[in-house]
Amino acid sequence: MSTSTKNATLSFSDGSPSIELPIYEGSIGPDVIDIRKLYAQTGKFTFDPGFMSTAACTSTITYIDGDKGELLYRGYPIEQLAEKCDFLEVAYLLMNGELPNAAQKEEFVHGKILRHTMVHEQMGQFFRSFRRDAHPMAVLTAAVSAMSAFYHDSTDITDAKSREISAIRLIAKLPTLVAMAYKYSIGQPFMYPKNDLSYTGNFLRMMFAVPAEEYVVNPVLERALDRIFILHADHEQNASTSTVRLAGSSGTNPFAAVAAGVACLWGPAHGGANEAALNMLEEIGHVDNVAAFIEKVKDKNSGVRLMGFGHRVYKNHDPRATLMRETCHEVLGELGLEEDPLFKLAMELERIALTDEYFISRKLYPNVDFYSGIVQRALGIPTDLFTGIFALARTVGWIAQWNEMIEDPEQKIGRPRQLFVGSPMRDVPDLASR
Ligand code: CMC
């Protein structure tokens, strides 16, 4: 934590003495006011549901400037990383703080990650115990949690080596688990990983190959999916990452903490948005229905939101969306799907929303999930697996953030306070008089 050079003075209208609160400067971004001693000094809490103005940790991993539409991983702009690096280089960067050189990359990719892609054979039985029509996120949440049973030997969180092994296992095995969830749901045999392929090529093969036929990875689609992974790898203290930190703050093992993150990601306001966006496009059905749908979105009483639009932090544009839009056009071109009716509908929705006063005045722009859903659909990924793909990528961010928290000497168990507005103490009446 940087030392404080400025103070804020907090005064009270009820006559309580005012207090001085230290202010810290980050390397970039807004200053923060340290309120940790507020309760001890004043007997008062702060109130900030949704953490609108609260920094819950210090971090060196990811920085977002929502007004500028800027996203940096360890200082590097997302645009440059998406152009010049592959997902595992980005994973190395997020976990270690620097990009790997050629030898470090070789060791990380072939010496570590790709040697851990298989899962315990018994995991197959675990998958088979689910209903075939279970939502893949239900299966994935359970499978990641089950990793603490299958790989209990790397759950000593006080040991840096053990933490590294868990991190490698999570990053290496998530593609296998996501593909198994898919294969199980469609009744096809699980495909074992094939480690002479890239991380992403291997995932495509585990998803779409069958033992009866050869499978050739299409490099355009491989690069597109790799970009989806890069763009979703980390996003600062979002809901699921904060969930992983909060769960991990109790000292639970990384598999359990990441399983909590997967569960949080499932929600439609977070990782479930790409699935919700695609469902919305299907519900609209035709370009001719777009205008009426937009009217419904603008009607406050309808409760309908334009999924894939808006962001808590980005109030100018989502830089990931710009990159994903580019990839979207590349993939649809490669597959000859530019005339796909759903894609045309999406483009019309984008056009209207970007010119409509309702969206402009509220600074609502397409977010990454608006386009990533379209790309994934074109790749042949079923809608209900979209959030699983997001979870696969975000696992890198979760584990980097979890590790940072464990190594932080100022780390404490997360324990928010509350503004209690329920009944004061009262006596329990006898049953007959209730
Ligand atoms: N469609 C229509 N109106 C919206 C939308 C939307 N998607 N998002 C926000 N608004 C309106 C909202 O009704 C409010 O209007 P008013 O001021 O008149 O009451 C105003 O914009 C501000 O909304 P908010 O709910 O205070 O904004 P927030 O920062 O709490 O919400 C959000 C952020 C992402 C939850 C929200 O924009 C949303 O629900 N979007 C759709 C879901 C979505 O695409 N989520 C994915 C986010 S990107 C992936 C990720 O990083 O997880």
Side-chain angles (χ1 to χ4, degrees):
M1 168 99 56
S2 61
T3 47
S4 150
T5 51
K6 297 184 262 182
N7 279 339
T9 306
L10 182 62
S11 55
F12 302 90
S13 56
D14 64 0
S16 311
S18 60
I19 59 157
E20 296 290 303
L21 298 165
I23 297 181
Y24 303 121
E25 281 175 33
S27 45
I28 33 176
D31 294 351
V32 300
I33 305 169
D34 182 349
I35 56 163
R36 281 176 293 179
K37 297 200 176 124
L38 185 71
Y39 179 60
Q41 290 179 354
T42 67
K44 293 176 172 61
F45 298 136
T46 55
F47 183 60
D48 187 18
F51 301 100
M52 302 292 285
S53 298
T54 297
C57 62
T58 55
S59 185
T60 60
I61 302 175
T62 293
Y63 176 77
I64 301 171
D65 185 325
D67 294 325
K68 284 197 216 153
E70 192 173 78
L71 169 61
L72 312 176
Y73 291 167
R74 302 281 190 184
Y76 295 116
I78 192 68
E79 292 82 0
Q80 291 182 30
L81 292 168
E83 270 318 310
K84 295 185 174 173
C85 300
D86 63 31
F87 175 65
L88 285 186
E89 284 172 79
V90 170
Y92 184 100
L93 171 71
L94 288 168
M95 287 169 64
N96 300 294
E98 295 299 335
L99 283 165
N101 61 28
Q104 288 165 331
K105 181 177 175 183
E106 172 61 23
E107 163 62 9
F108 182 65
V109 174
H110 293 108
K112 290 183 173 161
I113 300 293
L114 293 183
R115 286 179 53 186
H116 285 269
T117 50
M118 287 203 325
V119 296
H120 194 290
E121 193 61 15
Q122 213 175 321
M123 271 225 151
Q125 270 146 270
F126 180 76
F127 274 85
R128 286 185 188 96
S129 65
F130 286 95
R131 286 171 58 133
R132 291 252 179 218
D133 61 355
H135 194 288
M137 285 303 281
V139 178
L140 195 64
T141 311
V144 174
S145 177
M147 284 181 76
S148 39
F150 284 98
Y151 305 103
H152 199 76
D153 58 329
S154 62
T155 54
D156 177 2
I157 65 163
T158 62
D159 177 36
K161 187 75 202 155
S162 173
R163 292 202 302 274
E164 192 201 351
I165 295 170
S166 291
I168 289 165
R169 282 175 163 164
L170 277 159
I171 296 168
K173 293 182 201 305
L174 250 288
T176 315
L177 296 178
V178 173
M180 285 172 84
Y182 173 57
K183 286 298 196 193
Y184 182 68
S185 73
I186 56 168
Q188 287 187 2
F190 300 135
M191 293 297 291
Y192 287 116
K194 201 165 177 299
N195 294 343
D196 56 346
L197 296 174
S198 72
Y199 182 84
T200 305
N202 188 25
F203 175 65
L204 280 170
R205 185 177 170 279
M206 288 190 290
M207 284 283 296
F208 299 118
V210 289
E213 284 174 20
E214 282 307 310
Y215 179 82
V216 180
V217 177
N218 176 326
V220 175
L221 308 188
E222 181 184 17
R223 181 69 198 145
L225 190 57
D226 202 72
R227 182 174 270 196
I228 290 183
F229 293 165
I230 292 174
L231 300 185
H232 287 84
D234 196 41
H235 214 226
E236 209 228 61
Q237 307 310 320
N238 57 85
S240 59
T241 301
S242 298
T243 300
V244 170
R245 280 187 178 257
L246 189 58
S249 77
S250 72
T252 193
N253 71 72
F255 304 116
V258 169
V262 178
C264 176
L265 189 72
W266 191 359
H270 189 12
N274 49 19
E275 177 176 348
L278 229 277
N279 288 339
M280 175 192 75
L281 294 179
E282 269 157 14
E283 192 193 311
I284 299 172
H286 194 275
V287 181
D288 295 349
N289 303 331
V290 170
F293 185 79
I294 293 275
E295 285 315 307
K296 212 161 34 161
V297 168
K298 286 156 60 175
D299 173 7
K300 287 274 165 219
N301 300 321
S302 73
V304 177
R305 284 199 163 195
L306 193 50
M307 300 314 287
F309 272 70
H311 200 273
R312 170 61 61 81
V313 181
Y314 296 120
K315 298 300 179 194
N316 177 334
H317 74 279
D318 178 345
R320 305 167 303 170
T322 313
L323 291 158
M324 198 34 65
R325 187 177 197 280
E326 194 181 286
T327 298
C328 186
H329 285 279
E330 255 168 51
V331 166
L332 294 166
E334 171 71 14
L335 298 173
L337 291 174
E338 294 106 324
E339 295 305 311
D340 179 63
L342 206 79
F343 177 60
K344 288 181 102 172
L345 192 162
M347 292 303 104
E348 177 62 4
L349 202 61
E350 179 200 49
R351 190 191 64 76
I352 296 187
L354 289 177
T355 49
D356 189 296
E357 183 50 28
Y358 175 94
F359 297 93
I360 295 171
S361 63
R362 288 171 181 77
K363 302 186 170 183
L364 298 169
Y365 302 90
N367 58 50
V368 65
D369 288 331
F370 184 68
Y371 303 106
S372 73
I374 301 170
V375 174
Q376 292 186 63
R377 177 175 177 270
L379 294 179
I381 296 167
T383 315
D384 63 2
L385 205 69
F386 290 179
T387 315
I389 305 286
F390 190 162
L392 183 171
R394 185 56 60 84
T395 293
V396 167
W398 289 331
I399 203 71
Q401 299 265 355
W402 171 80
N403 214 23
E404 183 178 67
M405 181 195 68
I406 298 292
E407 288 176 355
D408 182 352
E410 298 194 354
Q411 186 262 325
K412 284 187 182 314
I413 186 167
R415 176 56 170 94
R417 308 306 289 247
Q418 64 176 7
L419 172 63
F420 183 71
V421 294
S423 169
M425 188 158 70
R426 50 186 173 155
D427 292 323
V428 177
D430 295 333
L431 184 59
S433 62
R434 276 179 237 161

